[in-house]
Amino acid sequence: MRNNSEGKTVTDEIVEFLDRDQDKDLLRFLTAGSVDDGKSTLIGRLLFDSKKIYEDQLVALERDNAREGHAENDTDYALLLDGLKAEREQGITIDVAYRYFSTNKRKFIIADTPGHEQYTRNMVTGASTANLSIILVDARKGIITQTKRHTFLASLLGIKHVVLAVNKMDLVDYSQEVFEAICADYKDFVTRLNIPDVHCIPMSALKGDNVVEHSVRMGWYDGKTMLHFLETVHVGSDQNFIDLRYPVQYVLRPSQGYRGFAAKVASGIVRKGDELMVLPSWKKSTVTSITTYDGELGEAFPPMSVALTLADEIDISRGDMLVHPDNMPKIERHFESMLVWMSEQPMELNKQYLIKHTSSTTRVRIDKIRYRIDVNTLSKSDSDAFELNDIGRTVLTTNKPLCFDSYQKNKSTGSFILIDPVSFNTVAVGMIIDRVSEENMPSRITGAETSTAAAGRSLISNGERQERLRQKGATVWVTGLHGSGKNELAYKLERELFDRGAVTVVIDGSVVRSGLSRELDYSPPDRAEHLRRVAHLCHMLNDQGLITICTFISPDEDIRRQVAEIVGRERFHLVYVDADKELCREQEPDLYRKVEEGRLQFLPGVDLPFELPVEPEVTIVQRHGDMMDAGVLVHYLQEHGIINQ
């Protein structure tokens, strides 16, 4: 085999070349801008001038340019990227186009994103993995609404490096004054956003000025060309190497003696011998090996995919997270996030969606929309629901706790997607801002819709049910503090109604929490969700002609009102058991003691307000020595025609 002057064979040189290529770092960047600002043309010119286009692509470019080009006497390099028929006909970008190329210094993945406002979700998709954003402006138009919108989206998605490419300088006679005025306007706008690294480059993508080579027509510009900047910009610090987050994706058990946990390192560094904690079980163990397909390693860091083995047999499964014990993520069910709605179906506040966060999937509800952002003006406004491409700040609650960081601190553990549980389509992407303390959570049951819509028509009329059962469907809602005797009253009422031949169902809050609401806690938002479920259950049972007797503290007057609206105001009968706190403490001494000692939270009447019912249908005063009597309620139901005399 032929050797070169250094004694190396051709095979050796090929291996060295491949090794050098493998060691190159990767830069992901996107281009954004208004319609016809030249995004696709810029990328096409980058590929052409850096000699990264194959011969068959050049032949196809010449053929397509003659037939569909929009650049008059010049080559339309945008045809290298605009692949959809509609894109070529209109001369615009609609879908996100990804292209790969490399130079001697770096590898690149380019996302060419659309400029139209209705394709905001497409730009968000392209920006989600980008390290850098190139935002183009037309030198004739300067900074316009779309420029601000794309810059805001880049900031929202945590992109730290932005290049303002002032394109079409050939159409303003390569004027330095025009360029500097545009840069000044842009930097004045960017100061309101979280983008630490901003560079401005004057260029003409069509003519090739300052794309790969310096422009002789803009001798006044002594900065880097676009390609030189992309090759040299430092983005390594954008990775989080401090906070170890290892979300387990798969448990490997190829043989009896091996049990490994496979995942992509989301952030931080893990080394052999490190002590790790498993969340949410809080168990600890030590890393005994870090393996890949190529063998064993001493350490692993993002974005490596590896398998870890631990010294101890611990129950670990997909969705669990391994971390360093002294560096923990937040473990919460309630958090605030910026949400980008990506579905053509509007948001439904009463609907539970699926949330996919790292390797964990659970159900989630949207408790509140703080505000919606106009991406063109950055102004904030109230909103009842999001529609396609809407962006805003929301409060969410998951069924089980998530292990997360803020998006600014850690993109991998601070981002998520929402999935429609029926179609399994992705409906939104989100960036976590921070946890929300439970005492500051909004309490909401129904939002705009407060009545249950019938999904079908029964063949049995209400009159027939009343005649057969000799009663009307109704809900007796008994409220009062813990230890007030409301449960005793509910069961005594059930006994008396049963003896009279009535058909009743007692719905006890503690029983419901052990089943239907077992994943909910006692915080105000979860208490509201708990009561929403019960209210809909009562509505259905009342439709069947049954009398439901509900015993719930339900301390919030507004929530009680919303429960009444779901059940139906004409069928909802509120009963208040008025017992003084001393009596309640005597009846439930252990419960009140735990709250006073700080071992328990959210007890109405102690550390959570109990709002007295404004106009209850019946009030039963309960004091020391009083016997609980359900007779007054039986008399009330007879008077209102719910049961027969």
Side-chain angles (χ1 to χ4, degrees):
M1 184 174 290
R2 181 176 58 84
N3 294 342
N4 64 11
S5 58
E6 298 178 355
K8 296 180 180 179
T9 66
V10 174
T11 303
D12 292 335
E13 291 178 344
I14 292 174
V15 170
E16 285 185 6
F17 171 80
L18 293 175
D19 288 341
R20 286 196 305 270
D21 189 70
Q22 185 70 27
D23 291 337
K24 293 177 187 174
D25 66 335
L26 174 67
L27 175 69
R28 297 174 179 266
F29 70 92
L30 68 94
T31 58
S34 181
V35 177
D36 202 33
D37 275 350
K39 300 180 295 299
S40 301
T41 303
L42 170 61
I43 298 174
R45 173 63 80 168
L46 270 174
L47 296 173
F48 182 81
D49 285 2
S50 57
K51 308 296 188 290
K52 301 301 176 183
I53 301 177
Y54 297 110
E55 288 187 10
D56 60 331
Q57 291 176 305
L58 286 173
V59 172
L61 175 62
E62 293 175 0
R63 182 189 67 241
D64 294 342
N65 184 65
R67 185 176 56 198
E68 300 173 316
H70 294 271
E72 297 181 356
N73 296 326
D74 295 296
T75 301
D76 187 357
Y77 295 101
L79 295 173
L80 288 169
L81 283 91
D82 290 340
L84 298 178
K85 182 179 180 182
E87 293 178 321
R88 295 191 169 202
E89 288 175 348
Q90 301 177 52
I92 63 172
T93 299
I94 296 176
D95 198 7
V96 181
Y98 292 95
R99 289 294 182 271
Y100 169 86
F101 79 101
S102 67
T103 65
N104 292 333
K105 298 180 179 179
R106 184 172 258 171
K107 293 181 285 189
F108 303 93
I109 296 179
I110 315 167
D112 183 24
T113 63
H116 290 68
E117 184 174 358
Q118 72 250 42
Y119 301 125
T120 296
R121 63 176 176 177
N122 300 54
M123 182 193 167
V124 170
T125 300
S128 60
T129 58
N131 309 111
L132 178 145
S133 175
I134 299 175
I135 297 178
L136 285 89
V137 298
D138 189 325
R140 299 168 299 175
K141 301 174 183 177
I143 306 303
I144 58 176
T145 298
Q146 287 93 324
T147 311
K148 297 178 180 180
R149 170 159 52 92
H150 296 144
T151 305
F152 166 71
L153 290 172
S155 172
L156 178 69
L157 291 159
I159 296 176
K160 304 299 183 184
H161 310 276
V162 170
V163 180
L164 181 72
V166 184
N167 194 27
K168 303 190 179 181
M169 289 295 293
D170 54 309
L171 301 181
V172 294
D173 296 326
Y174 302 99
S175 170
Q176 181 178 0
E177 291 74 18
V178 171
F179 171 71
E180 290 177 348
I182 292 173
C183 293
D185 288 346
Y186 185 73
K187 289 180 178 179
D188 180 63
F189 170 75
V190 169
T191 54
R192 293 181 281 168
L193 303 174
N194 184 30
I195 302 178
D197 184 29
V198 178
H199 289 266
C200 301
I201 300 177
M203 54 183 288
S204 171
L206 187 64
K207 305 292 184 181
D209 295 288
N210 287 334
V211 177
V212 174
E213 303 292 339
H214 273 100
S215 170
V216 296
R217 291 170 286 230
M218 287 183 279
W220 45 266
Y221 174 73
D222 57 1
K224 297 178 180 178
T225 64
M226 180 61 70
L227 182 61
H228 186 201
F229 179 82
L230 295 176
E231 287 181 325
T232 57
V233 62
H234 178 64
V235 295
S237 59
D238 292 348
Q239 290 278 10
N240 183 333
F241 293 106
I242 299 173
D243 310 304
L244 175 64
R245 305 291 183 259
Y246 189 82
V248 177
Q249 296 176 343
Y250 193 71
V251 179
L252 300 173
R253 198 68 187 267
S255 64
Q256 188 78 14
Y258 183 90
R259 186 165 178 260
F261 308 101
K264 179 179 179 180
V265 183
S267 63
I269 301 174
V270 59
R271 297 179 175 88
K272 187 176 179 179
D274 279 0
E275 183 184 41
L276 300 185
M277 177 178 285
V278 183
L279 300 176
S281 68
W282 302 83
K283 301 291 186 181
K284 295 181 181 179
S285 188
T286 304
V287 179
T288 55
S289 70
I290 304 173
T291 56
T292 67
Y293 179 80
D294 296 321
E296 193 165 327
L297 304 174
E299 64 179 20
F301 47 85
M304 296 173 63
S305 294
V306 298
L308 304 183
T309 59
L310 302 179
D312 303 283
E313 287 292 333
I314 300 176
D315 182 15
I316 302 175
S317 58
R318 178 180 173 85
D320 292 347
M321 183 176 288
L322 305 182
V323 301
H324 286 136
D326 58 349
N327 187 331
M328 303 280 287
K330 294 180 174 65
I331 307 172
E332 299 286 345
R333 293 179 54 235
H334 313 293
F335 55 90
E336 285 194 82
S337 72
M338 295 300 294
L339 206 63
V340 182
W341 199 253
M342 305 182 74
S343 173
E344 295 179 359
Q345 299 298 320
M347 174 193 294
E348 297 180 46
L349 288 178
N350 297 328
K351 185 175 184 177
Q352 281 209 338
Y353 295 94
L354 296 174
I355 182 171
K356 178 74 167 61
H357 173 260
T358 61
S359 58
S360 176
T361 302
T362 185
R363 289 191 174 271
V364 65
R365 69 174 186 265
I366 302 168
D367 285 309
K368 185 177 179 61
I369 296 175
R370 297 284 194 203
Y371 55 77
R372 185 181 70 86
I373 294 180
D374 186 327
V375 293
N376 295 324
T377 64
L378 302 190
S379 61
K380 302 173 183 177
S381 60
D382 294 333
S383 178
D384 294 328
F386 286 172
E387 297 184 351
L388 178 64
N389 294 321
D390 279 350
I391 299 174
R393 186 164 179 159
T394 57
V395 180
L396 290 87
T397 296
T398 57
N399 278 15
K400 68 178 184 181
L402 298 182
C403 304
F404 63 82
D405 301 283
S406 68
Y407 185 78
Q408 282 194 345
K409 180 180 180 181
N410 195 326
K411 283 188 177 183
S412 297
T413 58
S415 58
F416 61 87
I417 62 173
L418 298 187
I419 302 169
D420 186 288
V422 177
S423 66
F424 286 95
N425 292 330
T426 299
V427 297
V429 297
M431 288 69 68
I432 297 174
I433 299 172
D434 203 351
R435 66 181 292 274
V436 181
S437 59
E438 292 174 327
E439 57 270 20
N440 293 328
M441 283 289 295
S443 298
R444 177 188 60 81
I445 284 189
T446 59
E449 295 185 15
T450 54
S451 62
T452 304
R457 295 287 182 183
S458 174
L459 300 179
I460 305 170
S461 68
N462 288 336
E464 290 178 284
R465 293 185 194 279
Q466 292 176 22
E467 184 178 353
R468 170 70 61 85
L469 299 174
R470 295 186 299 166
Q471 67 184 42
K472 290 181 180 179
T475 292
V476 180
W477 192 275
V478 186
T479 184
L481 295 173
H482 274 293
S484 63
K486 63 184 183 302
N487 285 20
E488 180 186 352
L489 176 63
Y491 285 107
K492 280 189 174 182
L493 177 61
E494 179 193 32
R495 178 77 253 181
E496 294 208 21
L497 293 179
F498 180 81
D499 291 343
R500 291 171 177 270
V503 183
T504 64
V505 177
V506 173
I507 303 179
D508 186 331
S510 59
V511 176
V512 176
R513 282 192 174 276
S514 67
L516 183 64
S517 299
R518 66 182 179 274
E519 84 281 6
L520 303 178
D521 58 31
Y522 290 89
S523 61
D526 273 14
R527 195 184 293 272
E529 170 62 17
H530 173 54
L531 296 180
R532 183 194 69 82
R533 298 178 184 183
V534 173
H536 282 285
L537 178 61
C538 290
H539 182 100
M540 290 186 290
L541 293 174
N542 292 167
D543 282 347
Q544 303 303 312
L546 277 63
I547 298 172
T548 54
I549 305 169
C550 300
T551 168
F552 291 89
I553 298 178
S554 50
D556 188 287
E557 176 68 14
D558 183 58
I559 296 297
R560 290 193 291 260
R561 177 188 58 77
Q562 293 184 62
V563 168
E565 291 173 349
I566 293 174
V567 173
R569 290 188 176 275
E570 73 286 351
R571 300 193 301 198
F572 184 83
H573 306 272
L574 183 63
V575 178
Y576 171 46
V577 180
D578 180 7
D580 56 48
K581 290 184 179 179
E582 288 71 21
L583 175 61
C584 295
R585 289 175 188 274
E586 287 184 13
Q587 300 287 349
E588 298 276 2
D590 292 339
L591 183 65
Y592 282 90
R593 189 181 305 115
K594 287 180 180 179
V595 178
E596 291 165 355
E597 293 173 354
R599 291 185 289 153
L600 198 66
Q601 270 187 303
F602 306 123
L603 186 68
V606 182
D607 64 341
L608 192 71
F610 179 84
E611 299 178 2
L612 298 179
V614 177
E615 294 180 346
E617 278 72 22
V618 179
T619 299
I620 296 179
V621 179
Q622 191 71 5
R623 296 293 181 262
H624 287 276
D626 292 346
M627 294 294 293
M628 187 64 72
D629 183 12
V632 64
L633 292 182
V634 173
H635 181 67
Y636 170 84
L637 295 175
Q638 288 175 333
E639 277 191 334
H640 287 76
I642 297 170
I643 59 173
N644 294 332
Q645 295 285 349

